[in-house]
Amino acid sequence: LAAWIYWQIVTMRHFLTSLYLLGTFLHTLTKCAMSATDFHLDGDYLIGGLFNIHYASGGLYQTKPQAIDCSSQLFSLSDYRRFQMMRFAVEQINNSTYILPNVSLGYDIFDHCSVTKNFPGILNLISVNGLIQSWFEPLKNFSRVMAVVGPFTSTDALTIAPLFMTDLIPLVSYGVGSSRLSNKIKFPSFLRTVHSNDGMIEVIVKIIVHFNWRWVAFLNSDDDYGRDGLDLFIKKIDGTDICLAYTKALNDNTNYSQIFQQIEAQKIHVVIVFAPEATSEALVETAVQVNFRNKVWIACDTWSINKRLSKMKEIRNIGTVLGVSQPVETVPGFNNFIYSTKRQTFFKNEAQNVFCNQACNCSYVTPEDIISADSSYSFTVYSAVYAIAHGLHNALQCGDGKCSDNITMFPYMVLEELKKSNFTLLNQNIQFDENGDFKSGSYSIVFWNQTGDAQEIGFYSFYPSVQFFINNTMIKWYTDGDVPTSFCSAECPIGYVQKQTGIHKCCFNCEICPNGTYINVTEDPYNCINCKDTQWSEKGSTSCDLRVVEYMPFTDSWAILIMVGAWALVGMTLSMSVLFVVNYNTPVVKSAGGPMCFLILGCLSLSSLSVFFYFGKPTVAFCILRYLPFLLFYTICLACFVVRSFQIVCIFKIAAKVPKLYSWWMKYHGQQLVITVAFITEAFLLLISYSYAAPKPYQDKVWYPDKIILDCEINPKAISCSVILPLLLCSLCFVFSYMGKDLPKNYNEAKAITFCLLLLIFTWIIFVTQYMLYHGKFILMFNALAVLSSLYSFLLWYFLPKCYIIIFQPHRNTPKYFQGLIQNYTKTISQ
């Protein structure tokens, strides 16, 4: 560490020694009578000034190291006006009694016309009698320059600022916008009375958003100012709908016509020009010459109120020009000052003029030219001088008409007071933030109207709160009507999403959102959002609607009708049971099954309980009871019919051929055994089925996009286990029915059972078909009807004919009649 510190000290000593020698060399060459020029004024304390009264064009080439002759370069009237504004401000302060009383303020101003080839003025400001103070010597003989006003451009500031930062000499710029200079670690004594590029770009982006422009070009100068603006613009539009379609850095060798062709090819209608005044003038003039028409131009503050461009005859052809400018403040007394200082003083020694760069060579400029020149940045120069004066005033502890004469003043002392600045100048509050940037003030938003004036149509204020306003009615667009548009792709219709087609998010195809999705443009214009399970939407929707929840309530007319049918079945079974009890010993009742009839009728009644659980909102209990009673008790009914059909066939056909089987059947009460085994087996199968996967409520959200059908979920594997036995019993019924197809009429119960089974199968075929085609709430009604139809098939086609015979044909319900049928059957068999 010690070695590194030592090396740093040695390096710094060599650097300062070199500056000392250079300063000595300059001192021997640069003695000129400054008192006779507008660039110098003696005073107790001096303020430096750096102005680009002339600006060097590109392509300068030198064969030996020497400062360029600024007077031979292009003259800038607007910068000359700013130069005069500094002189005026100093004179006004010297004539003031409230600021710096009894202290005279002087200045040394230099025409800093080149970025890299004009440093004598800078070295003069930081030297003492041509010598540069070494840090290793005691503080003495410091320059009386307490602060410097300028420079104007970002590149100038970034180049020369480090020289002033070394001794913490305040450098108060009136025009530099680069955000890099807000870094107080690198530029601790840099301040400015303008807002940084960050504020300028913020306003430009707000203008673009305000008019809903999406597809823009950004043309920037190929220097620190322009590149900083481009970087800030890219950051500012991140997360917005703005796309940077085209960008180009402008310099002296740029082919402007080619740029216009490329902008036209990409159908860009908004062009942002972020460049110094000279570059912007060359660009706009070329646009007029090549007839580049009908665009919206957004100008930065360097050329937004350029009177020469706005007064051009053909300027209306290029389109509509909007701009952001520094507010133009009228400084009282400035015009009188200009008229009173018409003369221009030149050095008598031409050789010295070349080196000193103070030969203005502008005697042809009239006071009217100066007064009518571009007045932007005039107030920032004025406020910079006053800020330094206030800082010096406070550092000298001025008050009661005098300043302290016991204070040895150094630039860093002025810097400390400058940072605390808080005063009012021409109704404007002058303050700096922690980065040395201008804290208060505002931007004007201007429009180049038909008379060629930059008309103020809005503003963006920073202090005390951020406010943005544009009066749209004051703008006359080149379209002679609506606000021009600038899109890569036209806006999608409502309900469509943007599908990006290239690298730019502004270039896209429009695709409609399908059913079950919607688009929320404010949240995500690029993707369709799925609706929730409980919601639905049609194609191209911007929101989802709640699905209609459907089930068959008890109050539904169809539900009431089916439940009445179930109660009617119970009533009929009860009535038939009473009728059969009364006629218990008659042949018809015995042929129907005798005591088995009551078991069948009871099971039919109990099976009808299932019907009532198809209605109302499904619950676990409802889902279980919807199938359990029917499967269990209907299985018993089928078992009874199997036994009954087997007994008839056995009596008439099997008993004679296989007497042992008949004896076994009668001895061990085969019918009770079969029915009991069937009941126990079905109960066991149902227990297994429900244990594996019991029916449970579920919401059918698939079949209908706009509805939720409340139903019971049935596991196919589980339900198939409990259906095996009923299917087996149905098959046995058919077998025994076929075997007894030729039995006596009154004993031919098999035919009735067969017909009932056919009705049963036909009913469930219809239901299954319907279930495959339709899944609405009425499927529950069809299911209940299928159950009820299964019950009525046996009740109506097996028991009802017997009741008819008992009631209306009692002559057929006698033993004699039945014996006659048996005798006829026996004769037929024997023949």
Side-chain angles (χ1 to χ4, degrees), residues 6 27 62 71 101 199 255 281 342 348 393 396 453 482 503 528 533 536-537 574 607 658 687 763 772 802:
Y6 176 78
H27 176 65
Q62 294 180 224
S71 62
N255 186 335
E281 285 182 346
K342 292 183 179 180
K348 297 180 180 179
H393 178 93
L396 290 172
D453 296 321
D482 296 334
I503 61 172
C528 297
D533 287 345
W536 76 286
S537 67
L574 182 61
S607 296
V658 190
L687 180 62
T763 297
M772 293 174 64
K802 297 176 179 17

Side-chain angles (χ1 to χ4, degrees), residues 14-318:
H14 289 167
F15 173 74
L16 293 176
T17 301
S18 299
L19 286 180
Y20 180 84
L21 294 174
L22 178 61
T24 304
F25 175 73
L26 293 174
H27 176 65
T28 60
L29 297 176
T30 58
K31 288 186 177 180
C32 38
M34 298 298 295
S35 59
T37 74
D38 289 346
F39 292 87
H40 176 78
L41 179 69
D42 289 326
D44 297 326
Y45 297 96
L46 293 182
I47 300 177
L50 297 172
F51 292 85
N52 294 68
I53 299 175
H54 297 83
Y55 57 93
S57 59
L60 289 175
Y61 179 76
Q62 294 180 224
T63 58
K64 58 183 179 178
Q66 63 178 7
I68 63 172
D69 180 9
C70 285
S71 62
S72 64
Q73 304 303 311
L74 298 174
F75 176 72
S76 172
L77 182 60
S78 56
D79 280 284
Y80 185 70
R81 188 183 198 278
R82 293 162 196 149
F83 156 75
Q84 295 293 349
M85 181 60 72
M86 177 175 173
R87 296 184 62 242
F88 166 70
V90 172
E91 180 179 293
Q92 195 176 60
I93 291 169
N94 286 336
N95 293 331
S96 172
T97 57
Y98 78 92
I99 182 170
L100 293 176
N102 297 326
V103 174
S104 62
L105 202 61
Y107 52 74
D108 267 336
I109 304 175
F110 292 90
D111 183 7
H112 190 70
C113 63
S114 174
V115 176
T116 60
K117 301 181 177 64
N118 190 15
F119 285 89
I122 307 301
L123 297 172
N124 185 285
L125 292 175
I126 64 176
S127 66
V128 180
N129 297 323
L131 305 177
I132 295 177
Q133 173 74 46
S134 172
W135 286 3
F136 298 99
E137 298 178 8
L139 294 176
K140 62 180 181 178
N141 297 326
F142 261 82
S143 170
R144 288 182 301 165
V145 175
M146 294 293 103
V148 178
V149 176
F152 180 63
T153 69
S154 296
T155 302
D156 285 345
L158 290 168
T159 303
I160 68 173
L163 298 174
F164 293 96
M165 303 299 108
T166 303
D167 291 326
L168 293 180
I169 300 175
L171 189 65
V172 186
S173 174
Y174 54 89
V176 171
S178 175
S179 59
R180 290 172 56 188
L181 289 154
S182 298
N183 186 337
K184 291 301 102 180
I185 296 177
K186 292 184 177 180
F187 306 99
S189 62
F190 178 85
L191 301 94
R192 50 184 153 200
T193 53
V194 292
H195 295 283
S196 69
N197 288 343
D198 187 78
M200 173 69 61
I201 295 298
E202 177 72 23
V203 182
I204 291 174
V205 171
K206 282 190 175 293
I207 293 173
I208 296 171
V209 172
H210 178 79
F211 292 110
N212 196 31
W213 293 321
R214 307 277 181 86
W215 196 234
V216 301
F218 193 97
L219 306 180
N220 60 284
S221 55
D222 192 12
D223 57 15
D224 295 283
Y225 172 75
R227 287 189 289 270
D228 183 64
L230 176 61
D231 292 341
L232 289 171
F233 183 75
I234 293 173
K235 292 178 182 177
K236 292 285 185 183
I237 64 174
D238 184 32
T240 69
D241 293 329
I242 303 170
C243 290
L244 181 54
Y246 179 81
T247 181
K248 184 69 175 178
L250 309 177
N251 53 46
D252 294 335
N253 300 319
T254 301
N255 186 335
Y256 296 131
S257 298
Q258 186 180 39
I259 291 176
F260 298 143
Q261 291 174 3
Q262 292 169 343
I263 291 175
E264 197 68 58
Q266 295 191 54
K267 299 180 180 179
I268 303 169
H269 297 138
V270 176
V271 181
I272 304 161
V273 181
F274 199 86
E277 184 177 35
T279 305
S280 302
E281 285 182 346
L283 175 74
V284 174
E285 288 172 351
T286 305
V288 172
Q289 292 171 7
V290 301
N291 200 26
F292 184 62
R293 306 173 64 89
N294 298 337
K295 303 295 177 186
V296 174
W297 298 77
I298 300 180
C300 63
D301 56 353
T302 58
W303 67 283
S304 57
I305 56 175
N306 186 295
K307 295 183 179 180
R308 190 172 70 83
L309 288 178
S310 62
K311 297 290 185 180
M312 288 179 64
K313 183 177 180 181
E314 301 87 357
I315 196 68
R316 304 292 164 268
N317 295 337
I318 70 171

Side-chain angles (χ1 to χ4, degrees), residues 587-717:
V588 171
V589 176
K590 290 180 180 181
S591 68
M596 196 182 298
C597 293
F598 302 104
L599 178 60
I600 296 173
L601 291 171
C603 288
L604 290 176
S605 297
L606 292 173
S607 296
S608 67
L609 291 175
S610 294
V611 173
F612 297 93
F613 296 102
Y614 282 95
F615 310 113
K617 187 173 292 186
T619 62
V620 175
F622 271 46
C623 289
I624 292 174
L625 294 175
R626 184 177 291 185
Y627 305 103
L628 180 62
F630 177 72
L631 289 172
L632 181 60
F633 295 111
Y634 202 73
T635 300
I636 298 174
C637 291
L638 292 174
C640 291
F641 285 113
V642 168
V643 169
R644 182 58 189 153
S645 59
F646 175 76
Q647 282 181 327
I648 295 172
V649 173
C650 186
I651 291 171
F652 284 94
K653 293 188 175 183
I654 299 178
K657 297 179 180 179
V658 190
K660 289 184 179 182
L661 177 61
Y662 180 75
S663 299
W664 183 90
W665 178 267
M666 297 302 295
K667 179 180 179 179
Y668 293 102
H669 306 285
Q671 61 180 6
Q672 290 89 342
L673 182 62
V674 172
I675 294 171
T676 302
V677 170
F679 172 74
I680 294 173
T681 302
E682 182 62 20
F684 179 72
L685 292 174
L686 284 170
L687 180 62
I688 294 175
S689 174
Y690 282 18
S691 299
Y692 176 73
K696 58 184 178 181
Y698 92 107
Q699 298 177 343
D700 184 357
K701 301 173 183 176
V702 178
W703 194 260
Y704 294 101
D706 59 337
K707 297 177 183 179
I708 297 176
I709 308 299
L710 301 185
D711 201 350
C712 291
E713 183 179 23
I714 304 172
N715 188 290
K717 295 181 180 179

